[in-house]
Amino acid sequence: MSRKIKIGNIMLENDLILAPMAGITNLPFRLIAKKFGAGLVTTEMISAEGLCQNQKKTYEYLRHTPEEGLLCAQIFGSEPEVVANAAQIAIESGASIIDINMGCPVKKVVKTGAGGALLKNLKQAERIMKTVKKTCNVPITIKIRAGWSSNIKTALEISRIAKECGIDAITIHPRFVTQGFSGKANWSIISEIKEKLDITVIGNGDIFDAEDAINMIKKTGCDAVMIARGAIGNPWIFRDILDLKKGNIPKTPSLSERKEIMLKHFYLIKEFIGEKRAIRYIRGIFIWYSKNLPYSSYFRDKVTKIRNEDELMMLLNKYFLYLKKLK
Ligand SMILES: Cc1cc2nc3c(=O)[nH]c(=O)nc-3n(C[C@H](O)[C@H](O)[C@H](O)COP(=O)(O)O)c2cc1C
């Protein structure tokens, strides 16, 4: 059954959330995820310092259209006032929910005391949460990992603090910061937080198809699921989950639908950043879309060499015609 969930005073259409992904969840990608049924979409992580310093590129991350519905903006930073000011800027640009990044393992971020570093500096994390909560009049969420490392398992403790600070929901990706993406996400940590605390819990980690999503909900009792890698080149995962929840078998996208979405993605990117940058950008994205298709290595090889829109069209037409003939 599809469930509606509430984050603070905001009711989401369903319990499926597109995760923040740097370099991926820009406006075009979010529009596509929304089209396939995501109940909430999230920006990539945005530097609080960058927003407060009025950096043009940082502002680009906040571009938003009403078509994408509710927008959650994710902010990273280490100074309470700076994060709160940035959150306010994001709200003025159209964000309905603010998420504070407390899990990013990227060195550049961690060395400033932001992202995952906050999982070993709970006092600072608390100061940030309190200040943002006091300053901003929209629901505030945090996104954490299991802790800094297997010796610093702070997920439950920071969740308790978050609850006391009035944070409206917690997303947990249950791997340690030091783990990066290795090993499996330990879903039992999601269950533990859900059992021990009365707070909205969003489970994240290793959902690659509709069954994974249903399993996570069943096993952990989480209120919503958040999907990252499983949506890249596979944005219909949201539709698949909604179908499976209704008891229907998810329909694999036909070749023509897949091609249509790839084209749509390209055109949206082109509108967003112009043809030249779009061509460079879409090469990587199209590799994800071709994953698991026959002769994808041929496509991968060719797509990395395309130089303009005409070459892109020629390659797509040729590849999909070939796939059709294989059927
Ligand atoms: C390319 C990429 C970029 C990411 N960028 C962010 C980010 O900006 N902020 C964040 O909180 N997490 C980021 N993540 C982590 C994801 O949001 C998510 O927590 C993680 O990938 C686990 O979920 P998954 O198993 O569904 O991929 C990123 C992950 C990937 C693969």
Side-chain angles (χ1 to χ4, degrees):
M1 273 285 289
S2 181
R3 306 176 295 175
K4 292 197 171 198
I5 72 147
K6 237 177 154 184
I7 297 188
N9 58 356
I10 292 187
M11 182 71 86
L12 306 188
E13 272 167 46
N14 59 46
D15 54 358
L16 311 179
I17 303 175
L18 174 68
M21 281 186 280
I24 307 281
T25 54
N26 45 30
L27 176 61
F29 190 93
R30 299 197 305 265
L31 284 169
I32 290 174
K34 190 75 200 165
K35 171 184 153 68
F36 282 108
L40 179 67
V41 293
T42 314
T43 65
E44 52 193 286
M45 59 178 184
I46 306 174
S47 157
E49 292 280 353
L51 278 185
C52 292
Q53 288 163 12
N54 224 341
Q55 285 170 5
K56 193 167 161 257
K57 187 158 188 298
T58 313
Y59 262 83
E60 215 176 72
Y61 298 137
L62 282 173
R63 267 173 66 186
H64 168 61
T65 65
E67 249 183 296
E68 64 176 329
L70 294 171
L71 177 66
C72 173
Q74 192 193 58
I75 309 283
F76 72 93
S78 57
E79 289 308 317
E81 298 297 337
V82 180
V83 177
N85 288 343
Q88 203 51 47
I89 295 171
I91 294 164
E92 279 155 25
S93 301
S96 303
I97 298 175
I98 296 294
D99 182 62
I100 309 170
N101 182 316
M102 297 194 176
C104 178
V106 173
K107 267 202 192 114
K108 213 169 71 182
V109 172
V110 167
K111 76 169 193 241
T112 66
L118 290 165
L119 295 179
K120 49 178 182 168
N121 188 353
L122 300 190
K123 276 277 158 241
Q124 191 66 358
E126 180 175 4
R127 280 191 280 270
I128 294 175
M129 289 189 269
K130 275 192 176 145
T131 312
V132 175
K133 232 2 236 185
K134 204 166 69 195
T135 319
C136 301
N137 198 15
V138 301
I140 308 295
T141 62
I142 60 169
K143 182 163 177 284
I144 61 172
R145 282 190 172 226
W148 174 259
S149 63
S150 56
N151 298 327
I152 310 177
K153 299 179 181 170
T154 38
L156 184 61
E157 207 179 333
I158 199 167
S159 301
R160 271 212 181 95
I161 298 171
K163 165 126 184 87
E164 278 163 22
C165 293
I167 292 298
D168 297 282
I170 295 169
T171 301
I172 160 89
H173 170 208
R175 283 186 173 90
F176 298 111
V177 176
T178 51
Q179 243 183 305
F181 281 94
S182 65
K184 270 180 80 175
N186 180 359
W187 288 1
S188 67
I189 298 173
I190 306 175
S191 321
E192 191 188 6
I193 297 176
K194 182 65 202 161
E195 272 163 29
K196 296 199 171 147
L197 297 177
D198 179 20
I199 190 163
T200 301
V201 173
I202 301 162
N204 168 236
D206 299 352
I207 295 178
F208 294 106
D209 59 28
E211 273 180 30
D212 291 339
I214 307 285
N215 280 341
M216 181 188 274
I217 294 168
K218 272 197 196 139
K219 284 191 180 151
T220 68
C222 62
D223 300 285
V225 292
M226 177 181 273
I227 298 156
R229 292 167 297 170
I232 313 178
N234 187 36
W236 36 83
I237 191 169
F238 298 102
R239 179 178 70 188
D240 290 353
I241 301 169
L242 293 172
D243 277 344
L244 196 60
K245 280 181 168 213
K246 282 188 216 138
N248 301 329
I249 297 169
K251 36 186 177 304
T252 324
S254 64
L255 286 176
S256 59
E257 185 183 26
R258 191 181 289 264
K259 185 178 167 200
E260 184 195 316
I261 296 303
M262 289 168 81
L263 280 173
K264 185 178 167 76
H265 202 149
F266 170 69
Y267 285 123
L268 285 170
I269 292 280
K270 183 178 156 192
E271 199 184 315
F272 189 58
I273 55 175
E275 180 180 342
K276 209 167 155 206
R277 277 172 72 198
I279 288 289
R280 253 183 283 135
Y281 178 83
I282 210 71
R283 292 175 188 149
I285 298 294
F286 274 10
I287 287 174
W288 286 86
Y289 275 106
S290 68
K291 225 174 124 197
N292 300 327
L293 288 181
Y295 298 100
S296 59
S297 59
Y298 161 84
F299 181 79
R300 263 200 314 274
D301 180 52
K302 298 286 177 208
V303 87
T304 51
K305 298 186 178 107
I306 50 163
R307 286 166 302 181
N308 53 45
E309 190 174 335
D310 287 345
E311 288 182 8
L312 179 82
M313 292 306 150
M314 260 164 33
L315 175 62
L316 269 191
N317 289 336
K318 190 173 164 191
Y319 182 55
F320 276 90
L321 190 67
Y322 188 67
L323 293 181
K324 214 166 142 192
K325 281 189 185 153
L326 285 180
K327 285 213 145 193

